[in-house]
Structures are given as structure tokens and as C-alpha cells.
Amino acid sequence: MPHIALIPAAGIGSRYGAATPKQYAPLLGTPMLQHTLNLFAANPRIAHIAVIIAPADHWFAQAITLPPNASVHPQGGDTRAQSIANGIAHLLAQRIIQPSDTLLVHDAARCCLPQSALNRLLDALDNDPHAQQHGALLAIPVADTLKRQAAPQLAHSVQTIPREGIWQAQTPQAFQAALLHRALSQSDLSQITDDASAVEQLGLQPALVTGDSRNIKLTRPDDAALAEYFLQQAA
Ligand code: CTP
Ligand code: MG
């Protein structure tokens, strides 16, 4: 089945504090979103890249060079999950994607995804029958010790949480388009923090594929220096 990258890029990046939405902020002189598009464009196993931007976006057209196998859609919503749900509904209705296609949903803000990690996910989708049925996501086993605080406003450690079997989810997260469409349309989108959680609510168990610690999500201004270092190393 064709592998389609779906890139939600309709956020405002409030925590990043740039002059533009963060996906247009430069890293090594190139917008973050351009780095993300380039990494999917460079992988011959990706058939198409669909970018979801905000309806009122006026940066994309002037800042971004769309790769030849990519399309952009101003269907973004109020939350990440809403942007993805809107995007999938639109892409299916316009027959830009087929229900049986595999969608790799990947944050525009994770622009340092190494090709090796992307290829591990694609290998799982191509070869693992469980991943084909339930979907798959990049994730890394938690390395730090986890603490529970006493109360919402009280940062006193009351408990150490066993990290055995606990993973940190990254993106891409990959699902058959029809499955993710169904999962999102049956969930409370305001409660959904990643795509896999919507699919888990259907009773499925997406495969955990080892991600990469370089696959950071740029969230705060401090993250830029590390991202530029990773991008330089990958060049
Ligand atoms: N996103 C989206 N639509 C939204 C909100 C977020 O498409 N309504 C996208 C962002 O553009 C980003 C990804 O989802 O690529 C991950 O979200 P996050 O890192 O939280 O980005 P923002 O929501 O833009 O940042 P912040 O939460 O700091 O405002
Ligand atoms: Mg956000």
C-alpha cells in the first residue's frame, strides 16, 4: 500500500515564541517545515506528502518550496487532532488519498527525524502483519526515573513510578487512512494528544517501533540550538 506522509502544520507555536508560527521559524536559515518536507521528499518509499495548514495561513506560500510529490491543504482546526481529522476527511473526499493507503502522521515540529528511524517504521509497515493491522508508531523506552508529585500545585515527590515497559511516543505514527479516520471521528478530539491514543480506544494495539533521541519536537526557543546541531550532523 502507498505510504503517505500527513504533516499537521496548523499550530501557532505559542511556547516557541517566534515572530511567526514556529513551523516557519528558521533553522540554519531554512524554515522548520521546509526541513520536515525535505526529509520525506528525500525518502523514495514515501509516495505523497500532504501538509495541513491553518485556513488563515499567509506564510506558507511565501516561505515554503513544495516538493514535487506534495500538496498543501488549508484545513487546519483548533487542535492538532482536529487538524488531522479535517485533513484526512478532505483528502479522502478529494480522492487525493485512498482509504487503504497508509498515513504517516508527522509533526512539522519534528524536523530532525533521521532517515534510519523513518525507514524502521516503514519496514514494520511493509513486513509486520501486526503493524499492518493495528498501525505503528516511533517511540523510545523511558530512561529517566519518573516521580509523582503530591498534588497538582505541590511539587513534592511522593512516589517513584516504575518505568519498566513505559515508552515515550514520537511521530511518525502510521495507520491505514480508513482506520485513523474512524478512530478520530469516534473520539473526543479535545482529549486526544496523539493519533495512537485514538486507535487504542478502538481496542487496537499499535506496534511500538524504536524511534531516535534526535527526533525531538521543537517546543521552546531553547530547542533550536540542539535541532540545528542535529540538522548539521545529518547534512
Ligand atoms: N498543530 C496543528 N493544528 C493545531 C495545533 C497544532 O496542525 N491546531 C500541529 C503543529 O503545527 C505541530 C504539531 O501539530 O506541527 C505538534 O503540535 P505542537 O508542537 O504543540 O505545536 P503548536 O500547537 O503550534 O505549539 P504550542 O502548543 O506551543 O502552541
Ligand atoms: Mg500545541
Side-chain angles (χ1 to χ4, degrees):
M1 287 304 152
H3 299 313
I4 315 281
L6 179 65
I7 314 293
I12 53 172
S14 54
R15 290 168 290 177
Y16 198 72
T20 61
K22 68 178 172 185
Q23 57 273 33
Y24 301 111
L27 295 165
L28 304 177
T30 298
M32 190 184 299
L33 174 58
Q34 188 74 59
H35 288 288
T36 305
L37 296 181
N38 292 352
L39 76 90
F40 284 98
N43 192 309
R45 302 167 75 183
I46 300 295
H48 187 78
I49 306 163
V51 189
I52 310 300
I53 59 172
D57 183 293
H58 57 270
W59 288 277
F60 187 93
Q62 63 187 57
I64 302 296
T65 304
L66 206 55
N69 61 335
S71 56
V72 60
H73 309 276
Q75 258 74 32
D78 288 345
T79 62
R80 178 186 184 278
Q82 189 70 62
S83 294
I84 292 163
N86 292 355
I88 296 173
H90 171 77
L91 294 167
L92 286 170
Q94 298 294 311
R95 297 183 195 277
I96 297 165
I97 61 169
Q98 303 302 312
S100 58
D101 289 348
T102 303
L103 293 182
L104 284 78
V105 182
H106 184 71
D107 294 328
R110 288 189 194 266
C111 59
C112 305
L113 169 66
Q115 291 291 337
S116 52
L118 174 57
N119 279 316
R120 273 196 298 280
L121 183 67
L122 292 166
D123 288 345
L125 297 169
D126 286 343
N127 303 320
D128 174 1
H130 179 88
Q132 286 163 1
Q133 207 186 334
H134 295 244
L137 64 145
L138 291 185
I140 45 177
V142 169
D144 293 329
T145 296
L146 303 174
K147 297 293 184 187
R148 187 179 306 283
Q149 69 180 50
Q153 305 301 334
L154 190 57
H156 298 173
S157 178
V158 290
Q159 196 189 15
T160 300
I161 301 162
R163 62 169 179 247
E164 192 74 23
I166 305 292
W167 297 61
Q168 247 178 300
Q170 301 185 337
T171 70
Q173 302 198 350
F175 305 93
Q176 197 196 42
L179 170 64
L180 186 55
H181 184 52
R182 183 157 56 93
L184 291 172
S185 53
Q186 291 179 16
S187 16
D188 174 358
L189 292 180
S190 66
Q191 299 300 314
I192 293 287
T193 57
D194 73 343
D195 312 289
S197 63
V199 171
E200 290 154 9
Q201 284 173 21
L202 296 178
L204 296 177
Q205 299 182 351
L208 293 163
V209 175
T210 304
D212 193 298
S213 57
R214 292 168 291 183
N215 186 20
I216 57 171
K217 180 159 76 78
L218 279 87
T219 304
R220 294 186 177 78
D222 294 359
D223 297 329
L226 188 57
E228 288 189 324
Y229 173 76
F230 291 147
L231 289 168
Q232 227 152 16
Q233 296 293 305

